[in-house]
């Protein structure tokens, strides 16, 4: 039995699965190919209405996507795929001279509605859900303002703890966003301010 733990985290990894901290395990039977030694983490946002609804969607056999872990806005961790099994989260992707990054990476989905549109003074997600102003991150680095669902502090804390444990357990060299590995995607978006939470590089 392989066990990795940290005194700074409520989580441990036992046989490539997170335990402790109230982790929920949802079985994703469609993923069976071995991953070996993952050396990167790719971060995503779900675009779904809740962490559990996104997890249930990702494990459906008819859905051609999955992830290792979903982290809720309240810090709830849901594991779908063990870390030694390949998940289908990166799609057509490349980074650092390699392609097909599902073969090398751990995929973490963050419960977040993603990019928002401003309609009649209200911020609305692609799924139609209205987002309160206090949960909106405004990005002003381009020619025009864009609006994004912000991440929560507890979500960032749990992401930090999970990534720290993964860095200790596996030869992780890079933690990147989905948008860093394919021009097709914008997640996890500018609301995930990497410098604010990542403490390993």
């Amino acid at each position: 039995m392989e066990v990795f733990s940290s005194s700074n985290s409520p989580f441990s990894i036992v046989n490539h699965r997170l335990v402790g901290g109230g982790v929920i395990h949802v079985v994703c039977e469609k993923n069976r190919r071995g991953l070996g030694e993952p050396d990167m983490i790719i971060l995503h946002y779900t675009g779904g209405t809740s962490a559990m609804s996104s997890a249930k969607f990702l494990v459906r056999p008819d859905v051609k996507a999955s992830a290792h872990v979903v982290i809720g806005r309240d810090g709830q961790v849901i594991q779908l795929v063990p870390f030694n099994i390949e998940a289908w989260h990166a799609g057509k992707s490349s980074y650092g001279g390699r392609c097909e990054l599902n073969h090398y990476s751990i995929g973490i989905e963050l419960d977040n509605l993603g990019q928002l549109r401003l309609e009649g003074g209200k911020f609305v997600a692609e799924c139609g859900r209205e987002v309160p102003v206090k949960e909106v991150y405004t990005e002003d680095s381009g020619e025009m303002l864009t609006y994004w669902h912000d991440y929560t502090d507890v979500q960032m804390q749990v992401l930090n703890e999970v990534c720290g444990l993964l860095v200790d357990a596996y030869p992780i060299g890079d933690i990147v966003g989905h948008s860093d590995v394919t021009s097709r995607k914008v997640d996890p978006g500018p609301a995930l301010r990497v410098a604010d939470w990542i403490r390993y590089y």
Side-chain angles (χ1 to χ4, degrees), residues 38-148:
D39 60 16
M40 68 186 306
I41 297 169
I42 301 178
L43 305 175
H44 309 258
Y45 61 58
T46 60
T49 57
S50 73
M52 187 54 76
S53 69
S54 295
K56 288 180 177 178
F57 175 79
L58 288 168
V59 300
R60 281 175 30 186
D62 61 315
V63 172
K64 302 297 184 192
S66 58
H68 291 93
V69 171
V70 178
I71 301 177
R73 296 184 65 75
D74 60 357
Q76 176 67 65
V77 176
I78 306 166
Q79 184 158 9
L80 315 180
V81 179
F83 299 124
N84 64 336
I85 300 293
E86 184 178 300
W88 304 333
H89 60 96
K92 291 183 180 178
S93 52
S94 62
Y95 189 83
R98 295 187 302 187
C99 298
E100 305 300 326
L101 298 177
N102 286 336
H103 301 333
Y104 315 104
S105 61
I106 291 170
I108 298 178
E109 293 272 357
L110 298 162
D111 179 23
N112 184 283
L113 291 167
Q115 190 165 7
L116 311 172
R117 59 186 185 273
L118 184 58
E119 292 182 350
K122 297 179 179 179
F123 296 98
V124 181
E126 187 176 326
C127 66
R129 176 176 281 186
E130 186 179 334
V131 175
V133 172
K134 66 181 181 179
E135 294 182 14
V136 175
Y137 175 80
T138 302
E139 174 65 23
D140 61 359
S141 62
E143 292 181 11
M144 56 188 301
L145 297 177
T146 58
Y147 306 100
W148 304 79

Side-chain angles (χ1 to χ4, degrees), residues 17-33:
R17 292 181 181 273
L18 284 168
V19 297
V23 174
I24 296 171
H25 291 272
V26 177
V27 177
C28 187
E29 294 182 353
K30 63 190 175 187
N31 293 99
R32 297 191 174 150
R33 179 179 175 157

Side-chain angles (χ1 to χ4, degrees), residues 1-4 13-17 19:
M1 179 186 308
E2 294 182 81
V3 179
F4 293 90
I13 297 174
V14 178
N15 291 332
H16 307 285
R17 292 181 181 273
V19 297

Side-chain angles (χ1 to χ4, degrees), residues 128-201:
R129 176 176 281 186
E130 186 179 334
V131 175
V133 172
K134 66 181 181 179
E135 294 182 14
V136 175
Y137 175 80
T138 302
E139 174 65 23
D140 61 359
S141 62
E143 292 181 11
M144 56 188 301
L145 297 177
T146 58
Y147 306 100
W148 304 79
H149 196 196
D150 209 353
Y151 296 91
T152 68
D153 291 343
V154 67
Q155 196 174 29
M156 292 300 91
Q157 178 185 336
V158 170
L159 175 62
N160 198 44
E161 290 171 353
V162 170
C163 285
L165 197 55
L166 291 170
V167 166
D168 289 343
Y170 302 100
I172 303 296
D174 294 293
I175 301 177
V176 298
H178 200 184
S179 59
D180 295 318
V181 302
T182 177
S183 59
R184 300 175 298 111
K185 299 292 184 176
V186 297
D187 59 318
L192 183 65
R193 297 170 294 283
V194 174
D196 289 352
W197 67 268
I198 197 164
R199 299 172 191 166
Y200 303 103
Y201 303 97

Side-chain angles (χ1 to χ4, degrees), residues 1-14:
M1 179 186 308
E2 294 182 81
V3 179
F4 293 90
S5 60
S6 168
S7 60
N8 300 328
S9 173
F11 304 106
S12 298
I13 297 174
V14 178

